[in-house]
Each structure stands twice: as C-alpha cells, then as structure tokens.
Amino acid sequence: METIIGIDLGTTNSEAAFVMDGHAILIKNSDNGIVPSCVGINPSTGKIITGTEARNQAVLYPEDTVLSVKRLMGSDEKIVIKDQSYTPQEISAFILKNLKERAEKITGKNISKAVITTPAYFTDAQRLATREAGEIAGLTVVRILNEPTAAALAYESTDSKSQRIMIYDLGGGTFDVSIVKIEENVVEVLASTGDNSLGGDDFDREIEKLLIDHIEEEFDISVRDNKTVLARLRLASEKAKIELSNAPFAKIEEDHLCKKGSKDVHLSFELSRIKFEEIIDHYLQQTMESVNKALKDACMLPSGLDKIILVGGSTRIPKLSKMLEEKINLLPSQEIDPDLCVALGAAIQAGREMGLDSSGVLLDITPYTFGISTLGEIDGEISPNRFVPLIRRNTKLPATRSEAFNTVCDNQDAAELFVYQGENINALENVQIGKYFFKLSKLPAHSVIIIKYEL
C-alpha cells in the first residue's frame, strides 16, 4: 500500500507526519521535526537551500532568503532571488519537496501523495495555489484539509467522547477559529472564521518597530533602509516574543549591529511582557471578535463549549489563554504540542485516505459564500454587480445548489458568468474565482437560465 503523508505547510514552520500501526508519527530527521518555512540560495554554490540552512543565512543574506511565503499564496506577486523570478507556489514547492525527501528517508518508500493543510479561511485561489505547489514538488495532493479540522482530528484520536470544542489556531501568519462537534467518531465542523493576515509575524513587527524607534532615539541614526540590520532585528524580535511566553522580561542584545560614523552601535533593550502585550493588544482583540462570530455562526453560547484547543506557536502567549478563559470560562488546552497537532491530524486524514481507518467521518464546511454577479439593486441603484449567493458560508461539504435566473433582454444569445466568493452585496468587493462565457440560441422574452454550482 502506498504511503500518504500529512503535511502542515505553515507560515513560519512546516511539519510532516504519517500513520504507522494506527498512530500518527511525526517525521524527524536528527531534529524535532519542525522545519523552518524558509527558502534561499546558497551564496557560495548558487543552489536552492531550504529549512534550517536557509533560516540560518537569513540575517547575513536577507535578499537571498524568502520568509513567510504562505501569506503570498494565491497572489500574482513575483519573488526575485538572485535575478531569478519565482511564484509563491514555486517557493512553497521547495519546502514541500524538503518534507517529501525527509519522509522518503524515514519510511524508506517513494512518497508521491499527501494531504496538505491550509487555514480554514484560505480563499479558493489560495487553496488552488497550495495544490499547485504540491504538484510542482512531485506530490499528488489527495486532499486539502483545514488546519483547525486537522487539529480536531488529532485530539479526537486521543479522546473520542462526545464534545463541542473550539479550535483557536494562531500561527505565524494566519488566524482561524472553528467550532467543532465530535460525536461517535464523527468530526463535524459547525462554523469557521478567521483572518489570513494576522499572526505571529505581526507581533514580531510590533517589537521590531519598538527597536527601530529606540535606535533612532538612542543613537540618532536611522536603520529603516538597512536590510541586514532589519533582518537581525526581526530575528531578535521573534526570539524575544518566544522568551516572553515563559519570562516577564526579555533582554534584546545585538552587538555590532551597525555603525554611526566610525563607531559601532551595540543594541541593548529590555522588553517587558506587559509592554509586549500592550503593543499587540489590538491584534488579540481582533481574534476575540472572530471568536464571537464563530459562536454566533454555530448558534452556540460560550457555556455550550466543552473544550478550547490551542493550535499554533503564537498561542503560547500567556495573555491569550487568560482572555479565552475569562470569555469562555474554560481553561484552554495544549495537551498536544500546538506546533505539531495540525501535522498529526493531517497524517490521520492521510491514513483514512489510505483506507487504514474507515470508522471515522469528517464533515467540513465552506468558510465563504459562493455566488455570481447579476443585474440588481445596490444601495438604491441598479448595478450589473449585485452579488447573488448560491452556496452560503458554513454550508456542509460537499454541496450542490441550483438557482433560476431570468435573461436580461429578448432574443439574448450570450451570457457571461462571473463567480465570486465573499460576503459583500457588491460582487466587485468579493474575490473573483471564475469567469465563464456561454453562447446561447436566441431566447424569447423572459427566458429562465438554470445555474448549478458544486463544491
């Protein structure tokens, strides 16, 4: 039987796992199994490097190293390294290929299939880009799985009793919150929401801003255009953030950071946890708004939850647990390492795809509304861009919906159909995911066209 691996393709780090003897096992290679989601070019050999090797050179060669590419997935942005242009999919493919090769080394088998996770709130374009990255890396992506759903699978495998849980997933670059019901080997997602541009990277940048301001005030110099200095400050900020999860203060020291005239500038800055929590508070409040929205979508009060599961490295920030405990009146759980549970859950789903476990059922939802643009009223005016939902947000998957639409004019012989995902009544404010042109026989007045959409 061909082995299918589960992959958590993260913003900061990525992991892979597989099922053996009924258990999900993290793929390790003389390390802890956590691979930095970094890609670079070795300045000596000119070859592509990934993971820890690329991460280690990020400070010395920031222009030759790509970090946090996940935030660019689904976009048309080009990434240039050493005069070579890459798409976000191609950069992600280097990371996936690294994980694939690690898996082959550990299992002793050729790996050609994978389940890859994405944030629940990823758009259709971002999911397609993730699938394309897998294909470029030589992997057939048998399923794209939502990260909170994967985490729920990991916990369900250790505790199958009936319960309603909240998955609070705050990683390096994205945030999701999902309400999940687990009952008799059925994992059912009731609601999902989130923000694809909120995560630990934003917290690092807030610390970095503090350091830049401190340098300008202390030494009367600007380092805002010095890429090497900024790379060092970014790494120092991330280390301080991690340290503050376990200590009330973090000492940030960077010797020989830069020069002012002929003198070396040495940075020494003490950051308190209280100050750190203050500068990221608006981000944390945004996540609480998403928690409210998810509970509302699931038609549930906080008292209806049995457990809160924390996923992603950024959930180690103490204030987060305190905010959630005060809001839900439940102590959040980290029984499984927040950095690893998504990969382990992806491996469990991969095992199911292999037919190793046929007892469990996974019922997921669409986090977005899908629909088309038609002629209709927006803010009291007739517009050709009125968004008409076909499959609404939080609908169980798979889903099929049909709707009837009238023709615009007599003897109409063509129709152009634009498909969008989003929640705005103005289709142009949503994300366009498709465009179709239909040639019709001349239709009489008031003809009806039936449109069918499947997810």
Side-chain angles (χ1 to χ4, degrees), residues 6-16 35-39 68-71 73 88-89 91-99 115-119 122 126-127 129-134 137 139 141 144-145 147 169 172-174 339 342-343 346:
I7 294 177
D8 174 11
L9 182 61
T11 305
T12 306
N13 298 300
S14 297
E15 301 81 29
V35 179
S37 299
C38 302
V39 175
S68 302
V69 69
K70 185 173 180 176
R71 281 192 164 182
M73 293 294 278
Q89 295 95 306
I91 295 296
S92 293
F94 290 126
I95 301 167
L96 291 172
K97 188 176 181 181
N98 179 320
L99 296 170
V115 170
I116 302 179
T117 62
T118 65
F122 250 24
Q126 290 170 308
R127 293 171 190 272
T130 302
R131 190 177 290 276
E132 289 175 353
L139 292 166
V141 182
I144 295 291
L145 183 66
E147 290 166 5
D169 185 352
T174 59
D339 290 317
V342 170

Side-chain angles (χ1 to χ4, degrees), residues 274-341:
I274 292 175
K275 180 62 176 178
F276 171 59
E277 291 173 347
E278 176 188 317
I279 62 177
I280 67 167
D281 183 69
H282 63 290
Y283 293 114
L284 303 186
Q285 294 300 333
Q286 283 179 238
T287 72
M288 292 302 114
E289 292 172 9
S290 293
V291 167
N292 291 334
K293 184 178 180 181
L295 287 168
K296 182 179 179 180
D297 289 345
C299 300
M300 186 179 296
L301 295 173
S303 58
L305 292 171
D306 300 302
K307 180 183 286 189
I308 303 171
I309 294 173
L310 299 181
V311 180
S314 296
T315 59
R316 290 189 172 90
I317 295 171
K319 186 175 182 178
L320 270 179
S321 293
K322 184 178 180 181
M323 291 174 70
L324 287 168
E325 184 178 3
E326 290 175 349
K327 186 175 188 64
I328 311 295
N329 199 29
L330 285 173
L331 184 65
S333 172
Q334 288 183 322
E335 297 166 17
I336 302 176
D337 190 323
D339 290 317
L340 306 179
C341 62

Side-chain angles (χ1 to χ4, degrees), residues 5-184:
I5 61 173
I7 294 177
D8 174 11
L9 182 61
T11 305
T12 306
N13 298 300
S14 297
E15 301 81 29
F18 69 106
V19 170
M20 185 172 68
D21 298 329
H23 298 285
I25 299 174
L26 191 70
I27 293 171
K28 301 180 181 181
N29 184 17
S30 302
D31 54 26
N32 59 2
I34 297 176
V35 179
S37 299
C38 302
V39 175
I41 290 183
N42 186 303
S44 301
T45 65
K47 293 183 178 179
I48 290 289
I49 54 175
T50 58
T52 301
E53 186 180 0
R55 176 74 171 178
N56 289 342
Q57 77 156 28
V59 170
L60 294 176
Y61 307 102
E63 294 181 345
D64 297 338
T65 310
V66 182
L67 307 172
S68 302
V69 69
K70 185 173 180 176
R71 281 192 164 182
L72 301 179
M73 293 294 278
S75 73
D76 296 327
E77 187 165 337
K78 298 296 182 181
I79 302 164
V80 179
I81 316 176
K82 289 288 188 186
D83 300 323
Q84 178 68 44
S85 178
Y86 299 92
T87 65
Q89 295 95 306
E90 290 171 326
I91 295 296
S92 293
F94 290 126
I95 301 167
L96 291 172
K97 188 176 181 181
N98 179 320
L99 296 170
K100 175 181 183 292
E101 291 171 351
R102 288 163 64 95
E104 290 175 336
K105 181 178 179 180
I106 295 299
T107 63
K109 300 178 181 178
N110 178 57
I111 301 295
S112 63
K113 295 181 179 180
V115 170
I116 302 179
T117 62
T118 65
Y121 223 54
F122 250 24
T123 65
D124 197 61
Q126 290 170 308
R127 293 171 190 272
L128 178 60
T130 302
R131 190 177 290 276
E132 289 175 353
E135 293 171 355
I136 295 170
L139 292 166
T140 298
V141 182
V142 298
R143 180 160 184 167
I144 295 291
L145 183 66
N146 288 335
E147 290 166 5
T149 307
L153 288 175
Y155 274 85
E156 187 264 345
S157 68
T158 62
D159 185 0
S160 59
K161 68 180 181 182
S162 297
Q163 53 189 323
R164 286 167 173 78
I165 61 179
M166 173 185 291
I167 313 290
Y168 181 102
D169 185 352
L170 182 60
T174 59
F175 167 70
D176 288 313
V177 58
S178 295
I179 309 298
V180 179
K181 180 173 71 174
I182 298 177
E183 199 167 63
E184 297 180 353

Side-chain angles (χ1 to χ4, degrees), residues 174-436:
T174 59
F175 167 70
D176 288 313
V177 58
S178 295
I179 309 298
V180 179
K181 180 173 71 174
I182 298 177
E183 199 167 63
E184 297 180 353
N185 293 321
V186 176
V187 176
E188 180 181 359
V189 182
L190 302 178
S192 281
T193 188
D195 189 331
N196 291 334
S197 300
L198 195 163
D201 284 358
D202 300 295
F203 307 160
D204 299 343
R205 274 196 291 272
E206 292 301 324
I207 299 176
E208 186 183 340
K209 290 176 186 176
L210 276 183
L211 298 179
I212 291 172
D213 290 343
H214 171 75
I215 292 169
E216 290 183 346
E217 293 174 7
E218 183 77 10
F219 302 101
D220 193 28
I221 60 172
S222 176
V223 295
R224 297 177 187 272
D225 296 325
N226 190 321
K227 292 184 178 180
T228 300
V229 170
L230 293 179
R232 288 182 64 179
L233 293 180
R234 193 166 299 122
L235 182 59
S237 298
E238 182 184 10
K239 288 180 178 178
K241 174 190 67 178
I242 294 170
E243 186 177 345
L244 288 171
S245 292
N246 300 299
F249 296 92
K251 191 73 171 179
I252 303 172
E253 294 184 318
E254 291 290 323
D255 292 336
H256 306 284
L257 181 65
C258 58
K259 285 184 177 293
K260 180 182 180 181
S262 59
K263 293 183 178 180
D264 288 328
V265 171
H266 307 293
L267 171 66
S268 181
F269 185 87
E270 186 173 75
L271 177 63
S272 69
R273 181 189 291 170
I274 292 175
K275 180 62 176 178
F276 171 59
E277 291 173 347
E278 176 188 317
I279 62 177
I280 67 167
D281 183 69
H282 63 290
Y283 293 114
L284 303 186
Q285 294 300 333
Q286 283 179 238
T287 72
M288 292 302 114
E289 292 172 9
S290 293
V291 167
N292 291 334
K293 184 178 180 181
L295 287 168
K296 182 179 179 180
D297 289 345
C299 300
M300 186 179 296
L301 295 173
S303 58
L305 292 171
D306 300 302
K307 180 183 286 189
I308 303 171
I309 294 173
L310 299 181
V311 180
S314 296
T315 59
R316 290 189 172 90
I317 295 171
K319 186 175 182 178
L320 270 179
S321 293
K322 184 178 180 181
M323 291 174 70
L324 287 168
E325 184 178 3
E326 290 175 349
K327 186 175 188 64
I328 311 295
N329 199 29
L330 285 173
L331 184 65
S333 172
Q334 288 183 322
E335 297 166 17
I336 302 176
D337 190 323
D339 290 317
L340 306 179
C341 62
V342 170
L344 296 174
I348 291 170
Q349 183 59 38
R352 291 180 176 182
E353 300 290 340
M354 294 167 61
L356 298 178
D357 177 12
S358 58
S359 61
V361 177
L362 173 61
L363 301 176
D364 216 335
I365 62 171
T366 168
Y368 290 98
T369 295
F370 289 81
I372 65 170
S373 59
T374 63
L375 187 65
E377 186 176 301
I378 300 178
D379 296 330
E381 297 183 2
I382 299 301
S383 168
N385 301 314
R386 170 65 185 248
F387 181 61
V388 178
L390 294 180
I391 297 179
R392 291 191 177 273
R393 183 168 60 91
N394 291 327
T395 297
K396 295 286 183 295
L397 297 176
T400 302
R401 296 288 187 275
S402 297
E403 189 60 75
F405 294 88
N406 292 321
T407 51
V408 176
C409 59
D410 297 346
N411 302 315
Q412 186 171 332
D413 61 2
E416 196 168 32
L417 187 66
F418 295 88
V419 181
Y420 296 87
Q421 66 177 48
E423 315 304 324
N424 199 298
I425 192 173
N426 185 341
L428 299 183
E429 297 297 322
N430 297 324
V431 178
Q432 183 180 323
I433 61 172
K435 177 181 177 181
Y436 307 93

